[in-house]
Amino acid sequence: MNKIYGVIGDPIAHSMSPDIHNDAFEKENIEAVYHHFHVKPESLIEAVQGMKALGVAGFNITIPHKTTVIPLLDEVDELALAIGAVNTVINENGRFIGYNTDGIGFYKSLCDEISGDIKAKKTLVIGAGGAARAIYFTLVKEGVKHVDIANRTMETAAHLVSDCPYDKESKALTIAEAEESLSQYDLIIQTTSSGMSPHIEHSPLKLDQLKADAFVSDIIYNPLQTKLLREAREKGAETQNGVGMFVYQGALAFEIWTGIMPNTARMTDIVSNKLGGNTC
């Protein structure tokens, strides 16, 4: 009998997770199937109970359930607990154990693209939401010491810095302050929804002070090249979109479930083809 995996969220029909996971199961000759599960917030408790009763082998979690699912799990990984969000659950002998592969997925995708020692890069994270939290905590946990946070609401950025339990050198900035000091940063990471389709002409900050040898990463992958990345390229910077983060967070979930790291290049091709372009 095929094992059952899936992803829960609201909305969920747009998710490309079934495309990459079902292909990986087939490629690795694993008898399993991965489904969408549309779960509204008021049905989350019953959904998790039902998945446990049905013996679902594992599942991913997306908006808006990444935080609210935590009290419903039997155990949560240390990093996921620090971040305060879970995006991957494995069923181990009837116990649901939660992990967060978003931050480490981003970090691994970054390692594939960026040149030089990431840990020595002076880094600026734009945004202070859930994605920023996962990326920020993971970066400093991995040894990137100097990571500043810029956000429209300064207080939210300051709270994010104070919440981080790992050793770091960080400060909170307004967007205006970040724009003025942008030439100080080697790595800029954009984590907000600004520039996401259909609002493709939006950008979270001005790049007037961006230095030409900077690296700019935007976790958005629809469109594949946001206005921010386009402008960064015009200034000579290297850029990265969000496809790599999406692929790696899924690949790491697959590894948690099966013990096998799938072919991330193949996953990238699947996502790229579905989005109608290359990933550059």
Side-chain angles (χ1 to χ4, degrees), residues 59-118:
F59 57 99
N60 290 126
I61 304 154
T62 189
I63 295 170
H65 306 311
K66 290 185 178 183
T67 297
T68 50
V69 76
I70 289 177
L72 308 178
L73 304 177
D74 299 296
E75 184 180 335
V76 178
D77 171 72
E78 174 262 329
L79 179 58
L81 202 57
I83 293 169
V86 163
N87 79 327
T88 300
V89 173
I90 184 172
N91 185 341
E92 290 192 359
N93 301 315
R95 299 180 73 250
F96 277 178
I97 302 174
Y99 296 86
N100 190 307
T101 65
D102 284 332
I104 194 65
F106 173 81
Y107 184 76
K108 285 184 175 293
S109 73
L110 189 63
C111 289
D112 279 355
E113 300 290 337
I114 199 168
S115 57
D117 181 6
I118 296 177

Side-chain angles (χ1 to χ4, degrees), residues 182-183 185 188 207-212 214-216 231-232 235 237:
L182 208 57
S183 62
Y185 296 98
I188 294 94
L207 298 180
D208 296 345
Q209 302 301 317
L210 181 72
K211 59 183 183 179
F215 189 99
V216 180
E231 291 178 347
K235 289 183 171 293

Side-chain angles (χ1 to χ4, degrees), residues 89-204:
V89 173
I90 184 172
N91 185 341
E92 290 192 359
N93 301 315
R95 299 180 73 250
F96 277 178
I97 302 174
Y99 296 86
N100 190 307
T101 65
D102 284 332
I104 194 65
F106 173 81
Y107 184 76
K108 285 184 175 293
S109 73
L110 189 63
C111 289
D112 279 355
E113 300 290 337
I114 199 168
S115 57
D117 181 6
I118 296 177
K119 296 177 183 179
K121 306 284 186 187
K122 187 171 183 180
T123 301
L124 177 69
V125 173
I126 307 298
R133 189 178 181 93
I135 289 169
Y136 173 46
F137 282 27
T138 302
L139 286 174
V140 296
K141 187 174 188 290
E142 292 294 323
V144 184
K145 294 299 183 187
H146 196 131
V147 186
D148 293 339
I149 309 293
N151 193 54
R152 287 181 301 175
T153 307
M154 177 78 160
E155 184 179 358
T156 306
H159 281 315
L160 180 54
V161 171
S162 63
D163 283 349
C164 184
Y166 306 111
D167 183 35
K168 78 280 185 185
E169 296 175 16
S170 299
K171 61 183 177 182
L173 305 170
T174 64
I175 295 297
E177 288 172 336
E179 289 173 341
E180 291 172 5
S181 60
L182 208 57
S183 62
Q184 300 177 18
Y185 296 98
D186 308 301
L187 171 60
I188 294 94
I189 303 166
Q190 201 293 109
T191 71
T192 77
S193 61
S194 180
M196 184 184 294
S197 182
H199 306 293
I200 59 173
E201 287 307 310
H202 291 185
S203 183

Side-chain angles (χ1 to χ4, degrees), residues 192-271:
T192 77
S193 61
S194 180
M196 184 184 294
S197 182
H199 306 293
I200 59 173
E201 287 307 310
H202 291 185
S203 183
L205 81 168
K206 298 173 184 175
L207 298 180
D208 296 345
Q209 302 301 317
L210 181 72
K211 59 183 183 179
D213 62 347
F215 189 99
V216 180
S217 179
D218 193 329
I219 70 168
I220 291 172
Y221 54 83
N222 186 15
L224 289 169
Q225 182 170 260
T226 59
K227 180 181 180 181
L228 180 77
L229 294 186
R230 185 173 67 249
E231 291 178 347
R233 279 193 166 193
E234 289 170 356
K235 289 183 171 293
E238 293 183 79
T239 63
Q240 175 194 43
N241 62 28
V243 171
M245 177 180 175
F246 174 72
V247 164
Y248 266 106
Q249 63 80 28
L252 291 166
F254 190 93
E255 185 179 35
I256 287 170
W257 296 329
T258 67
I260 298 169
M261 188 65 177
N263 186 328
T264 54
R266 184 180 176 90
M267 286 182 161
T268 299
D269 287 342
I270 291 170
V271 174

